[in-house]
Structure formats: structure tokens, C-alpha cells
mmCIF file of all heavy atoms in Angstrom:
data_model
loop_
_atom_site.group_PDB
_atom_site.id
_atom_site.type_symbol
_atom_site.label_atom_id
_atom_site.label_comp_id
_atom_site.label_asym_id
_atom_site.label_seq_id
_atom_site.Cartn_x
_atom_site.Cartn_y
_atom_site.Cartn_z
ATOM 1 N N SER D 1 9.250 3.865 -4.288
ATOM 2 C CA SER D 1 8.814 3.576 -5.670
ATOM 3 C C SER D 1 8.798 2.080 -5.852
ATOM 4 O O SER D 1 9.837 1.405 -5.673
ATOM 5 C CB SER D 1 9.689 4.235 -6.696
ATOM 6 O OG SER D 1 9.262 4.004 -8.029
ATOM 7 N N GLY D 2 7.592 1.568 -6.171
ATOM 8 C CA GLY D 2 7.466 0.119 -6.343
ATOM 9 C C GLY D 2 6.122 -0.182 -7.043
ATOM 10 O O GLY D 2 5.318 0.727 -7.292
ATOM 11 N N SER D 3 5.950 -1.402 -7.439
ATOM 12 C CA SER D 3 4.731 -1.802 -8.131
ATOM 13 C C SER D 3 4.358 -3.299 -7.844
ATOM 14 O O SER D 3 5.168 -4.039 -7.340
ATOM 15 C CB SER D 3 4.865 -1.609 -9.617
ATOM 16 O OG SER D 3 5.890 -2.410 -10.178
ATOM 17 N N ARG D 4 3.121 -3.545 -8.065
ATOM 18 C CA ARG D 4 2.613 -4.959 -7.998
ATOM 19 C C ARG D 4 2.855 -5.594 -6.643
ATOM 20 O O ARG D 4 3.529 -6.629 -6.498
ATOM 21 C CB ARG D 4 3.174 -5.818 -9.086
ATOM 22 C CG ARG D 4 2.879 -5.307 -10.498
ATOM 23 C CD ARG D 4 3.393 -6.232 -11.613
ATOM 24 N NE ARG D 4 3.144 -5.652 -12.903
ATOM 25 C CZ ARG D 4 1.993 -5.654 -13.530
ATOM 26 N NH1 ARG D 4 0.890 -6.173 -12.970
ATOM 27 N NH2 ARG D 4 1.835 -5.111 -14.715
ATOM 28 N N MET D 5 2.326 -4.951 -5.609
ATOM 29 C CA MET D 5 2.437 -5.496 -4.261
ATOM 30 C C MET D 5 1.048 -5.537 -3.613
ATOM 31 O O MET D 5 0.230 -4.585 -3.834
ATOM 32 C CB MET D 5 3.362 -4.619 -3.381
ATOM 33 C CG MET D 5 3.538 -5.122 -1.965
ATOM 34 S SD MET D 5 4.330 -6.749 -1.886
ATOM 35 C CE MET D 5 5.923 -6.338 -2.581
ATOM 36 N N GLU D 6 0.726 -6.624 -2.921
ATOM 37 C CA GLU D 6 -0.615 -6.735 -2.338
ATOM 38 C C GLU D 6 -0.491 -6.769 -0.786
ATOM 39 O O GLU D 6 0.337 -7.465 -0.282
ATOM 40 C CB GLU D 6 -1.296 -8.031 -2.753
ATOM 41 C CG GLU D 6 -2.650 -8.218 -2.153
ATOM 42 C CD GLU D 6 -3.373 -9.433 -2.549
ATOM 43 O OE1 GLU D 6 -2.842 -10.201 -3.424
ATOM 44 O OE2 GLU D 6 -4.566 -9.655 -2.108
ATOM 45 N N PHE D 7 -1.325 -5.962 -0.154
ATOM 46 C CA PHE D 7 -1.494 -6.054 1.290
ATOM 47 C C PHE D 7 -2.787 -6.746 1.557
ATOM 48 O O PHE D 7 -3.839 -6.380 1.053
ATOM 49 C CB PHE D 7 -1.529 -4.680 1.882
ATOM 50 C CG PHE D 7 -0.215 -3.914 1.933
ATOM 51 C CD1 PHE D 7 0.057 -2.959 0.975
ATOM 52 C CD2 PHE D 7 0.768 -4.161 2.916
ATOM 53 C CE1 PHE D 7 1.267 -2.268 0.970
ATOM 54 C CE2 PHE D 7 1.993 -3.495 2.888
ATOM 55 C CZ PHE D 7 2.238 -2.545 1.937
ATOM 56 N N SER D 8 -2.709 -7.826 2.345
ATOM 57 C CA SER D 8 -3.867 -8.640 2.647
ATOM 58 C C SER D 8 -4.066 -8.708 4.137
ATOM 59 O O SER D 8 -3.134 -9.204 4.888
ATOM 60 C CB SER D 8 -3.706 -10.017 2.054
ATOM 61 O OG SER D 8 -4.854 -10.840 2.313
ATOM 62 N N GLY D 9 -5.274 -8.330 4.634
ATOM 63 C CA GLY D 9 -5.514 -8.496 6.071
ATOM 64 C C GLY D 9 -4.690 -7.588 6.946
ATOM 65 O O GLY D 9 -4.314 -7.925 8.116
ATOM 66 N N CYS D 10 -4.333 -6.417 6.377
ATOM 67 C CA CYS D 10 -3.421 -5.540 7.121
ATOM 68 C C CYS D 10 -4.183 -4.284 7.631
ATOM 69 O O CYS D 10 -5.264 -3.885 7.137
ATOM 70 C CB CYS D 10 -2.290 -5.052 6.149
ATOM 71 S SG CYS D 10 -1.141 -6.325 5.692
ATOM 72 N N VAL D 11 -3.674 -3.660 8.718
ATOM 73 C CA VAL D 11 -4.163 -2.476 9.296
ATOM 74 C C VAL D 11 -3.142 -1.390 9.288
ATOM 75 O O VAL D 11 -2.013 -1.584 9.700
ATOM 76 C CB VAL D 11 -4.688 -2.745 10.731
ATOM 77 C CG1 VAL D 11 -5.181 -1.447 11.398
ATOM 78 C CG2 VAL D 11 -5.798 -3.733 10.748
ATOM 79 N N PHE D 12 -3.549 -0.183 8.816
ATOM 80 C CA PHE D 12 -2.644 0.956 8.796
ATOM 81 C C PHE D 12 -3.305 2.063 9.657
ATOM 82 O O PHE D 12 -4.394 2.485 9.414
ATOM 83 C CB PHE D 12 -2.443 1.499 7.389
ATOM 84 C CG PHE D 12 -1.891 0.498 6.402
ATOM 85 C CD1 PHE D 12 -2.676 -0.439 5.829
ATOM 86 C CD2 PHE D 12 -0.527 0.568 6.085
ATOM 87 C CE1 PHE D 12 -2.151 -1.397 4.920
ATOM 88 C CE2 PHE D 12 0.018 -0.372 5.182
ATOM 89 C CZ PHE D 12 -0.793 -1.336 4.623
ATOM 90 N N ARG D 13 -2.549 2.517 10.702
ATOM 91 C CA ARG D 13 -3.075 3.575 11.565
ATOM 92 C C ARG D 13 -2.088 4.666 11.684
ATOM 93 O O ARG D 13 -0.929 4.476 12.094
ATOM 94 C CB ARG D 13 -3.415 2.997 12.972
ATOM 95 C CG ARG D 13 -4.563 2.046 13.026
ATOM 96 C CD ARG D 13 -5.065 1.824 14.477
ATOM 97 N NE ARG D 13 -6.303 0.996 14.447
ATOM 98 C CZ ARG D 13 -6.270 -0.289 14.745
ATOM 99 N NH1 ARG D 13 -5.142 -0.914 15.121
ATOM 100 N NH2 ARG D 13 -7.396 -1.018 14.786
ATOM 101 N N GLY D 14 -2.505 5.919 11.367
ATOM 102 C CA GLY D 14 -1.663 7.076 11.492
ATOM 103 C C GLY D 14 -0.399 7.071 10.641
ATOM 104 O O GLY D 14 0.589 7.622 11.046
ATOM 105 N N CYS D 15 -0.469 6.413 9.515
ATOM 106 C CA CYS D 15 0.754 6.287 8.625
ATOM 107 C C CYS D 15 0.829 7.440 7.637
ATOM 108 O O CYS D 15 -0.230 7.910 7.166
ATOM 109 C CB CYS D 15 0.784 4.971 7.920
ATOM 110 S SG CYS D 15 0.952 3.525 9.076
ATOM 111 N N GLN D 16 2.009 7.853 7.318
ATOM 112 C CA GLN D 16 2.288 8.885 6.348
ATOM 113 C C GLN D 16 2.959 8.339 5.119
ATOM 114 O O GLN D 16 4.038 7.747 5.280
ATOM 115 C CB GLN D 16 3.169 10.019 6.967
ATOM 116 C CG GLN D 16 2.621 10.563 8.291
ATOM 117 C CD GLN D 16 1.449 11.542 8.051
ATOM 118 O OE1 GLN D 16 1.411 12.316 7.064
ATOM 119 N NE2 GLN D 16 0.513 11.546 8.956
ATOM 120 N N PHE D 17 2.373 8.555 3.949
ATOM 121 C CA PHE D 17 2.979 8.195 2.719
ATOM 122 C C PHE D 17 3.338 9.455 1.906
ATOM 123 O O PHE D 17 2.470 10.259 1.568
ATOM 124 C CB PHE D 17 2.042 7.339 1.855
ATOM 125 C CG PHE D 17 1.665 6.021 2.496
ATOM 126 C CD1 PHE D 17 0.680 5.981 3.522
ATOM 127 C CD2 PHE D 17 2.228 4.833 2.094
ATOM 128 C CE1 PHE D 17 0.310 4.758 4.088
ATOM 129 C CE2 PHE D 17 1.879 3.625 2.652
ATOM 130 C CZ PHE D 17 0.947 3.594 3.654
ATOM 131 N N ILE D 18 4.646 9.705 1.758
ATOM 132 C CA ILE D 18 5.129 10.975 1.231
ATOM 133 C C ILE D 18 5.849 10.739 -0.069
ATOM 134 O O ILE D 18 6.819 10.006 -0.119
ATOM 135 C CB ILE D 18 6.060 11.653 2.257
ATOM 136 C CG1 ILE D 18 5.361 11.933 3.565
ATOM 137 C CG2 ILE D 18 6.559 13.010 1.674
ATOM 138 C CD1 ILE D 18 6.239 12.442 4.677
ATOM 139 N N ASP D 19 5.343 11.357 -1.149
ATOM 140 C CA ASP D 19 5.936 11.301 -2.459
ATOM 141 C C ASP D 19 6.230 9.835 -2.885
ATOM 142 O O ASP D 19 7.316 9.534 -3.332
ATOM 143 C CB ASP D 19 7.215 12.103 -2.476
ATOM 144 C CG ASP D 19 7.753 12.381 -3.897
ATOM 145 O OD1 ASP D 19 6.919 12.343 -4.872
ATOM 146 O OD2 ASP D 19 8.949 12.520 -4.100
ATOM 147 N N CYS D 20 5.260 8.993 -2.717
ATOM 148 C CA CYS D 20 5.399 7.578 -3.007
ATOM 149 C C CYS D 20 4.803 7.252 -4.407
ATOM 150 O O CYS D 20 3.726 7.776 -4.803
ATOM 151 C CB CYS D 20 4.743 6.693 -1.988
ATOM 152 S SG CYS D 20 5.600 6.748 -0.343
ATOM 153 N N GLN D 21 5.425 6.322 -5.162
ATOM 154 C CA GLN D 21 4.986 5.850 -6.422
ATOM 155 C C GLN D 21 4.639 4.379 -6.244
ATOM 156 O O GLN D 21 5.517 3.540 -6.153
ATOM 157 C CB GLN D 21 6.035 6.060 -7.500
ATOM 158 C CG GLN D 21 6.594 7.406 -7.621
ATOM 159 C CD GLN D 21 5.596 8.363 -8.180
ATOM 160 O OE1 GLN D 21 4.883 8.115 -9.112
ATOM 161 N NE2 GLN D 21 5.560 9.566 -7.608
ATOM 162 N N MET D 22 3.348 4.079 -6.199
ATOM 163 C CA MET D 22 2.901 2.731 -5.943
ATOM 164 C C MET D 22 1.929 2.220 -6.949
ATOM 165 O O MET D 22 0.661 2.090 -6.723
ATOM 166 C CB MET D 22 2.369 2.650 -4.528
ATOM 167 C CG MET D 22 3.356 3.033 -3.459
ATOM 168 S SD MET D 22 2.760 2.790 -1.722
ATOM 169 C CE MET D 22 1.441 4.025 -1.656
ATOM 170 N N ASP D 23 2.328 1.996 -8.152
ATOM 171 C CA ASP D 23 1.484 1.515 -9.271
ATOM 172 C C ASP D 23 1.078 0.090 -9.012
ATOM 173 O O ASP D 23 1.888 -0.731 -8.545
ATOM 174 C CB ASP D 23 2.228 1.602 -10.604
ATOM 175 C CG ASP D 23 2.405 3.015 -11.101
ATOM 176 O OD1 ASP D 23 1.798 3.971 -10.505
ATOM 177 O OD2 ASP D 23 3.114 3.255 -12.074
ATOM 178 N N ASN D 24 -0.151 -0.277 -9.429
ATOM 179 C CA ASN D 24 -0.610 -1.613 -9.337
ATOM 180 C C ASN D 24 -0.548 -2.223 -8.004
ATOM 181 O O ASN D 24 -0.318 -3.414 -7.837
ATOM 182 C CB ASN D 24 0.176 -2.511 -10.379
ATOM 183 C CG ASN D 24 -0.065 -2.096 -11.818
ATOM 184 O OD1 ASN D 24 0.837 -1.581 -12.443
ATOM 185 N ND2 ASN D 24 -1.260 -2.424 -12.313
ATOM 186 N N PHE D 25 -0.737 -1.441 -6.956
ATOM 187 C CA PHE D 25 -0.777 -1.954 -5.605
ATOM 188 C C PHE D 25 -2.219 -2.484 -5.362
ATOM 189 O O PHE D 25 -3.196 -2.117 -5.992
ATOM 190 C CB PHE D 25 -0.455 -0.884 -4.600
ATOM 191 C CG PHE D 25 0.951 -0.922 -4.151
ATOM 192 C CD1 PHE D 25 2.014 -0.910 -5.029
ATOM 193 C CD2 PHE D 25 1.294 -0.998 -2.828
ATOM 194 C CE1 PHE D 25 3.324 -0.899 -4.690
ATOM 195 C CE2 PHE D 25 2.617 -1.058 -2.404
ATOM 196 C CZ PHE D 25 3.600 -0.999 -3.365
ATOM 197 N N SER D 26 -2.333 -3.448 -4.444
ATOM 198 C CA SER D 26 -3.615 -4.067 -4.107
ATOM 199 C C SER D 26 -3.824 -4.130 -2.621
ATOM 200 O O SER D 26 -2.856 -4.449 -1.911
ATOM 201 C CB SER D 26 -3.688 -5.471 -4.715
ATOM 202 O OG SER D 26 -4.863 -6.114 -4.400
ATOM 203 N N PHE D 27 -5.040 -3.805 -2.137
ATOM 204 C CA PHE D 27 -5.362 -3.922 -0.743
ATOM 205 C C PHE D 27 -6.586 -4.791 -0.657
ATOM 206 O O PHE D 27 -7.637 -4.441 -1.192
ATOM 207 C CB PHE D 27 -5.645 -2.509 -0.100
ATOM 208 C CG PHE D 27 -4.430 -1.634 0.016
ATOM 209 C CD1 PHE D 27 -4.007 -0.934 -1.108
ATOM 210 C CD2 PHE D 27 -3.757 -1.484 1.161
ATOM 211 C CE1 PHE D 27 -2.890 -0.066 -1.033
ATOM 212 C CE2 PHE D 27 -2.604 -0.691 1.263
ATOM 213 C CZ PHE D 27 -2.164 0.066 0.162
ATOM 214 N N THR D 28 -6.534 -5.874 0.081
ATOM 215 C CA THR D 28 -7.619 -6.792 0.310
ATOM 216 C C THR D 28 -7.822 -7.012 1.795
ATOM 217 O O THR D 28 -6.877 -7.290 2.502
ATOM 218 C CB THR D 28 -7.330 -8.141 -0.401
ATOM 219 O OG1 THR D 28 -7.093 -7.903 -1.814
ATOM 220 C CG2 THR D 28 -8.525 -9.088 -0.263
ATOM 221 N N ASP D 29 -9.080 -6.848 2.272
ATOM 222 C CA ASP D 29 -9.397 -7.035 3.689
ATOM 223 C C ASP D 29 -8.500 -6.139 4.547
ATOM 224 O O ASP D 29 -7.796 -6.662 5.506
ATOM 225 C CB ASP D 29 -9.289 -8.465 4.063
ATOM 226 C CG ASP D 29 -10.343 -9.308 3.423
ATOM 227 O OD1 ASP D 29 -11.539 -8.894 3.399
ATOM 228 O OD2 ASP D 29 -10.021 -10.392 2.887
ATOM 229 N N CYS D 30 -8.427 -4.837 4.214
ATOM 230 C CA CYS D 30 -7.533 -3.941 4.946
ATOM 231 C C CYS D 30 -8.363 -2.763 5.553
ATOM 232 O O CYS D 30 -9.394 -2.409 5.128
ATOM 233 C CB CYS D 30 -6.497 -3.386 4.001
ATOM 234 S SG CYS D 30 -5.216 -4.572 3.503
#
């Protein structure tokens, strides 16, 4: 559980997000 986080220039492969609370997240160039 978290908020207001930005991932920039990241790669996610085969990842599992289970019961996550991610308000106001940002993904740029991902």
C-alpha cells in the first residue's frame, strides 16, 4: 500500500502484483 511513486525508464517482466493499493502511481517510458 503506497501512493505518489513514479517509475521512469523501468521494465517489468513476469511480475505479480497481488492485492496492492497504488494510488497516484506514475509510469513514464516503461
Side-chain angles (χ1 to χ4, degrees):
S1 181
S3 63
R4 301 186 184 282
M5 182 63 64
E6 179 178 2
F7 289 100
S8 178
C10 295
V11 174
F12 301 80
R13 291 196 175 103
C15 294
Q16 304 285 324
F17 296 78
I18 302 171
D19 193 26
C20 293
Q21 307 291 319
M22 300 185 293
D23 288 351
N24 294 109
F25 265 53
S26 175
F27 293 81
T28 302
D29 293 313
C30 288

